[in-house]
Amino acid sequence: MKLRAFLSLFIVTLLFCANASTSFAHTDKSRGYSNLNIKGKTIDYELFLDQIDMLEQFDTNKDKYLDNEELSSQKERIESVLQKDLRIDVDSKPLTMEMLSMELAEKGSTIGVIFKLRITADEAIEQFNLHYNLMFEDAPLHTNVLLVHSGDYFYQNILDTKKKDVQITIAQPESESVLWKYFVLGIEHILTGFDHMLFLLSLVLIASRFKDALKIVTAFTIGHSITLFLVATDRIQVSSHWVEVFIALTICYVAVENIFVQKVKWRWLLTAIFGLIHGMGFAGALTEIGLPKSNLIGTLLSFNLGVETGQFMVLCLLLPLLNWLRRFPWYRKMMISASCLIFVLAFYWLLQRLQ
């Protein structure tokens, strides 16, 4: 019976890690970003597409990678695809779109192409329709995070095969609605951030008492809140590439420590230091979204509160389960097995992020 329970937990952990690995590596689904900044008659559109989605059409030498030479040599063809499958209409009239630049870039740990587009109307834009049909033919599970800014106005949506068209009306938002959206974004970020989730799991696996787990999580919260505010308000500048690398390293370290250490007396201090690194990662997510200038502090607080809420939701499910499992004599073996799996996955992420 004990062996069966142990194997079941082992399989569950393996499935969790496999799911996280798949999501991170984008082997079956990918995510793009559409960041629209509207000023009067002009829309500055920054479009990011995962290179994986573009290989089928634009990888001319079939080496499974894109380079800037390949992009430059196919500029007209790429523009034609954008003009065909990406359109913004005002009063059913397509607006003129110009491609200012395109180049390989990295968003988080994903290599892709950033297109800078400029869309122009005859008069100030107050309402428009966006039609997005890029990449779906070659990557049906592709999604695109849509972010629209116009002064203090902020709009967010997810584009996929079921939602290719959206209508957007620019209006002065109530501050409460903006704060709520950033609160929800904070929850979404922690729940879909598999590296942060795995780090949390690693931290509390070894805690034998609820008091220890609470101290660890509080230290993590303090640490990541400090750097989230510093980076998001441009008090300090960091490289998102190296932040992602160090986040993977923190997971590797904690997983190894779980295997060899049985007490967590000082883990809260280590967690506070590692929290500083994860806070830079949270700030990177906010940089991608953008922040309204009129209520910067309030928006940051809302996003951070959303992160804490998402974290609290996970821990409310995780801690009672771990406390119950600690009653069994095989818990230590299960914890070591889980930590080994976590280390392997985090080390894989580390190698991917160093490329």
Side-chain angles (χ1 to χ4, degrees):
M1 185 66 182
K2 291 177 181 179
L3 178 61
R4 186 181 300 173
F6 175 77
L7 289 174
S8 299
L9 284 166
F10 185 88
I11 292 169
V12 168
T13 305
L14 181 62
L15 289 173
F16 173 81
C17 292
N19 179 62
S21 177
T22 300
S23 300
F24 183 84
H26 300 283
T27 54
D28 62 350
K29 63 191 299 187
S30 64
R31 173 170 287 185
Y33 294 88
S34 290
N35 201 331
L36 282 66
N37 192 2
I38 303 168
K39 295 179 181 177
K41 298 186 291 184
T42 304
I43 300 176
D44 287 323
Y45 191 147
E46 185 175 280
L47 170 68
F48 176 86
L49 295 176
D50 191 328
Q51 71 162 348
I52 289 176
D53 293 334
M54 303 181 64
L55 294 177
E56 184 70 27
Q57 295 187 63
F58 304 113
D59 181 23
T60 54
N61 58 13
K62 303 303 178 185
D63 64 350
K64 303 298 183 184
Y65 291 96
L66 290 177
D67 57 52
N68 284 316
E69 279 189 24
E70 282 179 307
L71 294 175
S72 299
S73 66
Q74 301 176 84
K75 183 179 178 182
E76 290 185 5
R77 186 173 163 220
I78 292 171
E79 279 190 283
S80 175
V81 170
L82 291 176
Q83 295 282 356
K84 172 178 170 287
D85 293 330
L86 182 64
R87 190 178 69 249
I88 289 181
D89 301 338
V90 172
D91 296 329
S92 301
K93 177 185 175 183
L95 300 185
T96 303
M97 183 170 70
E98 174 189 5
M99 186 167 72
L100 303 179
S101 66
M102 64 173 171
E103 61 179 352
L104 282 172
E106 211 170 311
K107 188 174 279 288
S109 56
T110 303
I111 298 173
V113 182
I114 286 184
F115 301 92
K116 293 193 175 179
L117 313 170
R118 179 156 291 166
I119 297 152
T120 310
D122 296 329
E123 55 187 33
I125 299 169
E126 297 179 353
Q127 185 181 74
F128 64 91
N129 296 313
L130 172 65
H131 173 73
Y132 180 97
N133 195 33
L134 293 168
M135 303 298 117
F136 292 136
E137 185 174 340
D138 295 325
L141 295 179
H142 168 75
T143 60
N144 192 283
V145 178
L146 172 64
L147 305 165
V148 180
H149 299 268
S150 180
D152 291 335
Y153 175 80
F154 172 70
Y155 174 86
Q156 182 200 24
N157 213 325
I158 302 290
L159 304 169
D160 56 26
T161 52
K162 295 180 180 178
K163 182 175 284 189
K164 300 179 182 179
D165 297 274
V166 293
Q167 184 180 76
I168 298 162
T169 301
I170 300 167
Q172 188 67 24
E174 296 180 4
S175 60
E176 290 80 3
S177 70
V178 175
L179 294 178
W180 173 254
K181 286 184 178 181
Y182 276 90
F183 174 75
V184 172
L185 282 172
I187 295 176
E188 290 175 353
H189 182 70
I190 195 68
L191 294 182
T192 58
F194 295 106
D195 46 4
H196 301 300
M197 293 274 282
L198 212 57
F199 181 68
L200 274 177
L201 173 61
S202 302
L203 287 174
V204 298
L205 266 177
I206 201 173
S208 58
R209 298 178 301 171
F210 180 80
K211 179 183 176 182
D212 294 328
L214 185 62
K215 189 186 294 186
I216 289 168
V217 173
T218 302
F220 180 62
T221 297
I222 293 170
H224 77 64
S225 296
I226 291 171
T227 46
L228 170 61
F229 277 78
L230 289 176
V231 175
T233 56
D234 289 326
R235 299 292 195 280
I236 59 174
Q237 281 78 42
V238 295
S239 164
S240 61
H241 170 77
W242 286 108
V243 167
E244 295 296 324
V245 168
F246 282 115
I247 285 174
L249 272 173
T250 64
I251 303 169
C252 286
Y253 178 86
V254 174
V256 170
E257 191 179 66
N258 284 347
I259 297 169
F260 296 103
V261 176
Q262 296 192 31
K263 294 184 179 180
V264 290
K265 184 177 179 181
W266 298 105
R267 173 161 285 188
W268 66 270
L269 182 58
L270 180 72
T271 303
I273 296 169
F274 285 174
L276 296 172
I277 299 171
H278 283 254
M280 296 176 192
F282 294 147
L286 267 182
T287 301
E288 294 173 0
I289 298 166
L291 287 165
K293 296 179 181 179
S294 62
N295 191 9
L296 181 62
I297 299 301
T299 306
L300 276 172
L301 285 170
S302 293
F303 181 82
N304 197 43
L305 185 59
V307 169
E308 302 313 321
T309 302
Q311 188 175 278
F312 180 74
M313 290 162 59
V314 172
L315 291 173
C316 281
L317 295 173
L318 187 61
L319 290 179
L321 174 62
L322 292 178
N323 283 331
W324 177 73
L325 290 174
R326 285 189 188 96
R327 297 162 43 195
F328 299 97
W330 43 260
Y331 178 80
R332 174 72 184 168
K333 292 180 180 179
M334 185 276 293
M335 189 268 289
I336 291 174
S337 299
S339 295
C340 288
L341 288 170
I342 290 169
F343 174 81
V344 169
L345 178 56
F347 191 71
Y348 169 74
W349 284 344
L350 176 62
L351 294 178
Q352 289 278 53
R353 296 175 185 190
L354 283 172
Q355 291 179 359

